[in-house]
C-alpha cells in the first residue's frame, strides 16, 4: 500500500522492463511477473481490514485506533483518512508525512513547494498563515488565534505573512443640528493598526524565521495608500512577540512602509537576541538615521552574518553609518551585505573603500547591483579589490564600468588572489576585459587551499594605529582611488 511513496514513480519508470524485453521469447511464457506491482488489481477482493479501515476513516473524530492497530493497518488508514479532518483531532495523533502532503495538495492546490522535507510543519505553517492573513482585525478574537498557535507551535519553524488586513478607518460623526461637532473627514485621526501579532508569536517557541509584508494583495479597484502603512503599535506588538523566541535566526520585513523610527524600535529589541543571523529589510523606506541604527546593531551584535537592505532611501550619511561600524569592528561576523538598487554617489564609494580596505576576512560577499556607479565611483569600487583580502564575491551588475574602471578592475584582480566570483552583467565592459576577468577568477579558484605570500605591491595597512584614520581613504577625502597613492611612511 505504501509502495508508491517509498519508491517514487520516476524510479519505477527508470527501472521498468522495456517492451522489447517483455515480448522476447524467454519472457512471453512467464506466468509470475515479479516487477508488476498491480498484478492483483481487479482480480482479488480487498482484505477485510481494508473495509474496516474505510469505516474507521469516517469516524476519526470519535474513535482513534492508531495506538491499537498494526503499522500495516495504519498505512491503509493514512490513505483513507479525509484531508479535511479538523486540526484539533489530526495534529496530535497523525504523524504520517504522506497524509500531510496529501492534505497540503488538496487544501492549497495553487501553492507549489519545492524541497519540503517536513510536510506536517509546512502544512500547519500555511494554515496559520492563511488564518492570520485573512482574519478581519475589527472582529479579531484573540483566544481563537492563541488556540490555533498553541496547537501548531511544536511543528512550526517558519512563519511567513504576505499580507495583513488593516482595521477599518473610523468615519466622522453624522451631522446633527442640535450638536456642535467637527464632521470633517480629514479631522478623524488616521488608523493604521493591524491584528496584534504578540499573542501568536509568544506561542511559537520553535520559530526560526519570520517573514512579514505589511500590505494587502489583490486590491484591484479598492486600492488605498493606507493599506500599506503600519503603526508603531504594530511594531511594539511584534517586538513583544519575539522577545522570548530563543531560536529565531532570520528576521525579514519586505515591501513595507518601514521607516527610520520603526526600524530603530525593532533593532533595539533584536540586538538582545544573540541567535539572530540574518536581517532582511529589502524594498522598505529606511533612511539615513535608520541606517545609523543598523550600523550600531552591526557594531554591537556578535552573531549577525547577513544584512540585506536593497531598495531603500538612505544616502551618504546612511552608508557612512555602515562603513563606520565595519571600520570600528574589522572582525565583525558579517558575511554578506546587499545594497542593491540604492543610488550611490562617489562619496558612498569612498566610504565603501575605506571600510572594506580595513576589513580583513569578512564580509565575504558585497552586492551592489544597479547602484548607479559610473566614472570615478565605479573605478573606486573596482579598485577596492586591490587592497581587500576578505571578499570572495562582488556583484556589480547593472553599473557602468566602462573606461578607466575596466583597467582598474583588471589591475586589482591581478593582485587579488582571494575573490572567486564577480557579477559583471550589463556593466558595458569589453569582451577582452570579461575574458581577462574570467581567466583571473579561474586562477584564484585553482589557488584554493594553497598558502599565499602577501604581495610586495601592497603596503601594510597599520590597521590598529590612529595614523590609519587620516590616510587617504578617509571618507571626507574622495579624490583618491584605491591602489593609487604615493609612498606611505609610517609614523615613528
Amino acid at each position: 500500500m505504501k509502495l508508491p511513496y517509498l519508491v517514487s514513480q520516476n524510479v519505477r519508470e527508470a527501472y521498468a522492463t522495456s517492451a522489447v524485453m517483455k515480448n522476447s521469447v524467454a519472457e512471453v511464457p512467464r506466468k509470475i511477473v515479479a516487477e508488476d506491482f498491480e498484478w492483483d488489481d481487479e482480480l482479488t477482493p480487498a482484505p477485510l481490514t481494508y473495509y474496516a479501515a474505510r469505516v474507521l476513516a469516517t469516524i476519526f473524530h470519535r474513535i482513534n485506533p492508531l495506538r491499537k492497530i498494526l503499522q500495516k493497518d495504519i498505512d491503509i488508514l493514512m490513505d483513507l483518512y479525509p484531508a479535511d479532518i479538523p486540526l484539533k483531532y489530526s495534529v496530535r495523533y497523525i504523524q504520517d508525512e504522506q497524509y500531510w502532503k496529501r492534505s497540503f495538495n488538496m487544501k492549497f492546490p495553487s501553492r507549489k513547494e519545492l524541497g519540503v522535507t517536513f510536510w506536517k510543519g509546512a502544512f500547519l505553517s500555511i494554515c496559520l498563515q492563511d488564518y492570520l492573513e485573512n482574519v478581519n482585525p475589527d472582529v479579531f478574537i484573540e483566544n481563537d488565534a492563541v488556540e490555533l498557535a498553541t496547537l501548531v507551535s511544536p511543528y512550526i519553524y517558519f512563519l511567513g505573512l504576505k499580507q495583513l488586513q488593516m482595521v477599518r478607518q473610523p468615519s466622522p460623526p453624522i451631522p446633527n443640528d442640535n450638536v456642535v461637532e467637527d464632521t470633517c473627514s480629514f479631522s478623524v485621526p488616521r488608523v493604521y493598526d493591524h491584528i496584534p501579532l504578540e499573542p501568536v508569536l509568544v506561542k511559537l517557541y520553535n520559530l526560526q524565521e519570520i517573514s512579514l509584508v505589511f500590505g494587502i494583495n489583490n486590491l484591484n479597484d479598492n486600492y488605498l495608500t493606507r493599506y500599506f502603512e503600519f503603526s508603531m503599535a504594530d511594531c511594539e506588538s511584534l517586538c513583544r512577540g519575539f522577545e522570548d523566541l530563543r531560536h529565531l535566526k532570520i528576521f525579514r520585513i519586505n515591501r513595507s512602509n518601514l521607516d527610520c523610527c520603526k526600524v530603530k524600535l525593532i533593532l533595539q529589541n533584536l540586538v538582545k537576541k544573540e541567535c539572530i543571523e540574518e536581517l532582511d529589510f529589502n524594498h522598505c523606506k529606511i533612511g539615513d538615521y535608520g541606517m545609523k541604527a543598523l550600523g550600531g546593531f552591526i557594531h554591537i551584535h556578535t552573531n549577525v552574518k547577513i544584512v540585506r537592505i536593497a531598495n531603500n532611501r538612505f544616502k551618504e550619511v546612511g552608508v557612512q553609518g555602515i562603513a563606520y561600524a565595519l571600520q570600528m569592528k574589522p572582525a565583525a561576523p558579517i558575511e554578506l551585505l546587499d545594497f542593491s538598487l540604492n543610488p550611490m554617489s562617489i562619496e558612498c564609494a569612498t566610504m565603501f573603500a575605506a571600510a572594506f580596505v580595513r576589513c580583513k576576512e569578512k564580509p565575504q560577499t558585497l552586492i551592489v547591483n544597479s547602484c548607479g556607479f559610473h566614472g570615478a565611483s565605479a573605478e573606486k569600487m573596482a579598485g577596492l579589490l586591490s587592497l581587500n583580502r576578505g571578499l570572495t564575491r562582488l556583484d556589480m551588475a547593472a553599473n557602468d564600468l566602462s573606461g578607466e574602471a575596466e583597467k582598474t578592475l583588471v589591475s586589482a584582480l591581478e593582485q587579488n588572489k582571494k575573490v572567486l566570483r564577480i557579477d559583471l552583467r550589463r556593466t558595458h565592459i569589453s569582451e577582452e576585459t570579461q575574458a581577462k576577468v574570467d581567466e583571473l577568477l579561474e586562477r584564484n579558484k585553482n589557488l584554493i587551499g594553497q598558502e599565499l605570500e602577501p604581495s610586495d605591491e601592497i603596503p601594510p595597512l597599520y590597521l590598529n594605529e590612529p595614523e590609519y584614520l587620516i590616510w587617504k581613504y578617509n571618507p571626507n577625502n574622495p579624490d583618491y582611488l584605491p591602489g593609487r597613492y604615493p609612498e606611505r611612511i609610517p609614523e615613528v
Side-chain angles (χ1 to χ4, degrees):
M1 199 58 160
K2 303 294 289 184
L3 187 61
Y5 315 140
L6 301 179
V7 181
S8 70
Q9 188 64 30
N10 291 337
V11 174
R12 296 176 65 184
E13 292 179 3
Y15 288 92
T17 307
S18 64
V20 176
M21 180 65 70
K22 289 181 179 179
N23 296 326
S24 64
V25 177
E27 293 290 322
V28 169
R30 193 163 57 128
K31 294 182 179 181
I32 299 177
V33 184
E35 66 272 15
D36 184 6
F37 301 116
E38 290 83 18
W39 66 273
D40 61 340
D41 289 355
E42 301 180 359
L43 294 177
T44 58
L48 185 60
T49 54
Y50 173 78
Y51 295 102
R54 289 181 59 179
V55 176
L56 288 173
T58 60
I59 56 174
F60 181 73
H61 60 288
R62 290 162 47 196
I63 300 177
N64 176 21
L66 297 181
R67 296 182 179 178
K68 302 177 181 178
I69 60 178
L70 300 176
Q71 182 61 43
K72 65 181 184 65
D73 298 326
I74 293 178
D75 294 342
I76 297 175
L77 273 175
M78 291 301 106
D79 289 337
L80 296 175
Y81 276 148
D84 57 352
I85 296 177
L87 293 180
K88 62 180 179 181
Y89 300 118
S90 61
V91 170
R92 292 187 176 91
Y93 303 111
I94 298 181
Q95 309 297 334
D96 185 78
E97 282 289 281
Q98 188 58 35
Y99 168 82
W100 293 108
K101 182 179 180 179
R102 179 161 55 88
S103 301
F104 184 98
N105 294 330
M106 292 184 66
K107 188 170 183 178
F108 306 104
S110 61
R111 300 186 67 116
K112 305 298 180 184
E113 301 289 337
L114 300 176
V116 178
T117 58
F118 185 41
W119 282 103
K120 185 175 183 178
F123 176 76
L124 296 178
S125 176
I126 294 181
C127 286
L128 181 60
Q129 173 188 347
D130 184 67
Y131 173 80
L132 295 176
E133 287 182 349
N134 298 294
V135 65
N136 187 346
D138 294 316
V139 293
F140 174 67
I141 302 176
E142 184 175 316
N143 291 337
D144 292 348
V146 171
E147 181 181 355
L148 177 59
T150 304
L151 183 65
V152 303
S153 59
Y155 314 100
I156 288 186
Y157 301 92
F158 167 77
L159 177 63
L161 302 179
K162 297 182 179 179
Q163 70 171 10
L164 282 170
Q165 303 294 329
M166 183 174 286
V167 298
R168 182 179 57 85
Q169 174 65 31
S171 301
I174 299 175
N176 189 339
D177 296 337
N178 299 324
V179 179
V180 178
E181 58 183 343
D182 188 357
T183 60
C184 177
S185 59
F186 294 99
S187 299
V188 180
R190 297 297 175 184
V191 179
Y192 303 120
D193 294 331
H194 299 77
I195 63 170
L197 294 176
E198 176 189 1
V200 175
L201 291 178
V202 295
K203 299 296 181 180
L204 305 179
Y205 52 85
N206 284 331
L207 206 60
Q208 297 181 1
E209 181 176 352
I210 298 177
S211 180
L212 303 175
V213 176
F214 288 91
I216 302 178
N217 300 328
N218 303 319
L219 285 172
N220 298 327
D221 295 336
N222 299 319
Y223 172 82
L224 291 175
T225 55
R226 66 179 294 269
Y227 289 153
F228 299 88
E229 304 284 343
F230 68 103
S231 63
M232 291 296 292
D234 291 327
C235 285
E236 293 172 356
S237 175
L238 177 64
C239 293
R240 291 192 298 269
F242 62 64
E243 184 176 355
D244 294 327
L245 299 182
R246 302 183 182 276
H247 307 288
L248 185 62
K249 296 181 179 179
I250 302 175
F251 185 83
R252 182 182 296 111
I253 296 181
N254 297 148
R255 296 184 286 117
S256 303
N257 186 27
L258 181 66
D259 55 23
C260 296
C261 295
K262 299 183 182 71
V263 78
K264 280 183 179 180
L265 177 60
I266 291 174
L267 292 175
Q268 285 174 359
N269 288 270
L270 284 177
V271 76
K272 307 171 187 176
K273 308 190 72 60
E274 296 295 330
C275 54
I276 287 290
E277 296 181 359
E278 178 177 348
L279 294 176
D280 186 346
F281 299 130
N282 288 343
H283 312 292
C284 292
K285 298 181 180 179
I286 301 176
D288 289 335
Y289 292 100
M291 291 297 291
K292 284 187 174 182
L294 184 58
F297 181 93
I298 294 174
H299 181 69
I300 297 174
H301 205 273
T302 59
N303 194 42
V304 63
K305 296 179 174 62
I306 299 175
V307 176
R308 301 182 186 274
I309 41 179
N311 191 20
N312 280 270
R313 295 185 174 180
F314 58 87
K315 295 184 179 179
E316 289 82 2
V317 176
V319 174
Q320 189 175 19
I322 300 295
Y324 176 82
L326 294 176
Q327 291 185 62
M328 294 298 102
K329 192 178 179 182
I334 290 289
E335 295 178 359
L336 184 148
L337 284 174
D338 185 357
F339 285 84
S340 300
L341 301 172
N342 291 295
M344 296 189 185
S345 61
I346 187 172
E347 288 80 8
C348 295
T350 304
M351 296 171 195
F352 272 125
F356 278 84
V357 164
R358 182 161 189 173
C359 294
K360 295 181 179 180
E361 298 179 357
K362 296 181 180 180
Q364 298 173 344
T365 301
L366 174 63
I367 304 176
V368 286
N369 295 330
S370 189
C371 288
F373 291 123
H374 65 282
S377 61
E379 190 174 1
K380 189 176 292 289
M381 289 300 298
L384 68 85
L385 292 175
S386 64
L387 295 178
N388 178 270
R389 289 300 175 267
L391 284 175
T392 59
R393 172 186 170 189
L394 175 63
D395 288 3
M396 295 187 64
N399 292 286
D400 187 1
L401 300 184
S402 60
E404 291 296 324
E406 288 189 60
K407 302 177 183 178
T408 303
L409 176 62
V410 173
S411 175
L413 279 178
E414 289 176 347
Q415 302 177 42
N416 190 312
K417 297 182 176 61
K418 293 291 186 180
V419 66
L420 304 176
R421 174 182 172 185
I422 301 181
D423 188 352
L424 298 175
R425 294 172 296 170
R426 300 182 62 188
T427 53
H428 307 290
I429 63 174
S430 62
E431 295 182 0
E432 293 78 7
T433 301
Q434 182 66 60
K436 182 63 175 177
V437 169
D438 294 340
E439 178 185 345
L440 293 172
L441 293 178
E442 188 65 27
R443 176 206 64 182
N444 292 352
K445 293 177 182 177
N446 295 331
L447 292 176
I448 295 178
Q450 300 182 19
E451 294 186 4
L452 303 177
E453 296 182 359
S455 174
D456 296 334
E457 301 176 5
I458 303 176
L461 296 180
Y462 299 88
L463 298 181
N464 297 323
E465 298 183 13
E467 174 263 344
Y468 169 82
L469 299 177
I470 60 172
W471 194 28
K472 50 190 59 54
Y473 284 97
N474 189 308
N476 297 323
N477 186 8
D479 297 329
Y480 293 91
L481 299 174
R484 297 186 180 183
Y485 46 85
E487 183 179 357
R488 184 162 161 269
I489 303 175
E491 297 180 358
V492 179

